[in-house]
Amino acid sequence: MPELPEVETVVRGLRGVLPGRSIVSVRLGKTDFIDDPAALGEHLPGRRIIAVERIGKFIRVELATVEKGEARSAPAEKTSGDLNLMVHLGMTGRLAVRAPNEPVAPHTHGFFDLDDGNELRYTDIRRFGRILLVPAEGLPEFQSRLGEDALFVSAREFSRRLAGRRARIKALLLDQKSLRGMGNIYADESLWRARIHPARLAANLKEEEVARLHQAIRQVLRTAIKLGGSSISDFLDAEGKPGSYQMRHRVYGREGEKCFRCGAIVRRIIVAGRSSHFCPRCQPAPRPPRKRRRLRKSGK
DNA sequence: AGCTCTTCCTGAAAGC
DNA sequence: TGCTTTCAGGAAGAGC
């Protein structure tokens, strides 16, 4: 499933081919994951791609209106865009440039025809992804609804975001409004590295634990990006190549196997509605051992 | 504020 | 063998 490292990998791939290209036309299949399907055909054709960026788990394709008289060979870049095509890959989304004669993968629901004859294709088996247009002036608000990027957040800001929060740390890591870009795999991996149990309340973390977690997140994400992300459940980069970070997973998907650090058996529990993998010895549970306590016989 | 539950969707895997 | 059920999960919304 695409999380920050996978999205970053896709963005880097697209950045090499998309800027400078113009969108000629748009063809759509199923559209239930698109905010305003009609708007795509209305506003994209004729615009030129000037940049590709990552905002949390969103891919931002920045588009500019091509001025009248400006040849299609005119230098790209510099002008600032007036429209952004935002793509969230959800669980199974893929975004890649393909030649028209290449076979179309099943569940491909979006074709953005480019002026060089190629197609930017959006494929999404489960359609948990999302596509929407955000005008340039709406971008600040769009961004403000997401937290700091998990890869760039400073130690100070990170700890400020956790301070006083009564939510479980796992829930906060997954909450995009708190920290953008984290997903289930990297949350579990980071917590294991930092030796923090996923069900701990953020407010109860000691200062050094918060610092350790911040470090762990950076390390895990950086290494994952370097390896092209994790390819489980068929993630492929923009060129169709798998990443290899799944080989480095220390707890995710390892329930019942031995902890790489201490040898205890890795467990899986549900925290914040998500399956959470952890080592019961390295990541001690918070005091009330998460058992469901019987309601006390009323009285006082 | 934050928890649980539900919804969306499909394919893989488990169950019978 | 083959059909049925369960599960996985990002994000949003409801209800408590």
Side-chain angles (χ1 to χ4, degrees):
Chain A
M1 47 233 60
E3 300 180 25
L4 189 153
E6 290 75 30
V7 177
E8 180 68 27
T9 300
V10 170
V11 164
R12 289 182 182 184
L14 294 176
R15 199 176 274 152
V17 290
L18 285 184
R21 296 275 62 79
S22 289
I23 294 177
V24 174
S25 53
V26 176
R27 289 171 289 135
L28 303 175
K30 292 189 180 176
T31 58
D32 54 358
F33 60 97
I34 301 175
D35 281 28
D36 183 355
L40 299 186
E42 211 170 299
H43 301 295
L44 295 180
R47 279 196 159 87
R48 184 161 56 213
I49 297 166
I50 59 175
V52 184
E53 281 180 16
R54 179 182 63 76
I55 298 182
K57 292 185 214 172
F58 277 94
I59 295 166
R60 170 192 175 212
V61 179
E62 188 181 8
L63 300 146
T65 304
V66 177
E67 300 300 330
K68 292 258 193 291
E70 194 180 347
R72 75 176 52 174
S73 57
E77 327 311 333
K78 69 189 89 10
T79 32
S80 67
D82 57 357
L83 187 65
N84 300 285
L85 171 64
M86 310 294 300
V87 179
H88 194 300
L89 301 176
M91 291 289 302
T92 52
R94 284 192 212 168
L95 192 61
V97 174
R98 293 277 117 97
N101 61 4
E102 288 183 78
V104 174
H107 306 289
T108 298
H109 298 298
F111 297 82
F112 302 90
D113 304 310
L114 306 174
D115 62 349
D116 64 355
N118 286 322
E119 303 170 350
L120 174 63
R121 296 179 185 171
Y122 180 75
T123 305
D124 191 347
I125 297 174
R126 296 184 198 173
R127 305 205 301 285
F128 271 21
R130 187 177 166 201
I131 293 181
L132 72 158
L133 293 180
V134 176
E137 59 273 22
L139 198 61
E141 203 223 313
F142 181 90
Q143 299 218 47
S144 72
R145 269 181 274 156
L146 298 166
E148 292 277 315
D149 194 280
L151 189 59
F152 305 123
V153 66
S154 68
R156 219 191 129 147
E157 176 64 15
F158 181 67
S159 115
R160 198 185 67 74
R161 295 246 171 199
L162 299 188
R165 298 295 300 269
R166 304 282 307 156
R168 310 206 147 117
I169 185 60
K170 174 72 182 269
L172 281 185
L173 291 181
L174 292 181
D175 181 1
Q176 302 298 301
K177 292 186 288 299
S178 152
L179 201 63
R180 69 166 97 121
M182 282 303 254
N184 207 34
I185 296 176
Y186 298 104
D188 281 3
E189 293 298 314
S190 300
L191 287 168
W192 178 83
R193 261 182 184 272
R195 304 195 298 282
I196 295 171
H197 190 284
R200 295 275 303 279
L201 298 190
N204 291 347
L205 294 179
K206 298 194 199 88
E207 216 172 294
E208 66 261 32
E209 288 178 315
V210 173
R212 232 192 282 148
L213 182 54
H214 176 252
Q215 259 322 103
I217 288 170
R218 293 167 79 88
Q219 249 166 31
V220 164
L221 293 180
R222 284 196 178 146
T223 308
I225 289 172
K226 207 167 290 175
L227 295 182
S230 302
S231 286
I232 61 175
S233 96
D234 73 5
F235 165 77
L236 300 173
D237 69 16
E239 282 151 35
K241 287 179 306 194
S244 63
Y245 191 73
Q246 67 280 6
M247 308 300 295
R248 301 276 187 105
H249 290 178
R250 308 277 88 166
V251 281
Y252 189 85
R254 297 193 64 247
E255 181 185 14
E257 295 175 45
K258 287 182 178 169
C259 169
F260 281 116
R261 196 161 38 210
C262 78
I265 301 303
V266 172
R267 294 198 45 202
R268 182 172 73 96
I269 57 173
I270 302 297
V271 177
R274 289 278 166 272
S275 70
S276 303
H277 310 72
F278 69 102
C279 167
R281 193 183 297 165
C282 297
Q283 300 165 266
R287 309 95 180 234
R290 273 240 89 223
K291 290 269 168 66
R292 39 189 86 253
R293 282 166 294 174
R294 287 228 150 271
L295 287 179
R296 248 172 301 169
K297 266 296 176 196
S298 67
K300 44 218 46 193

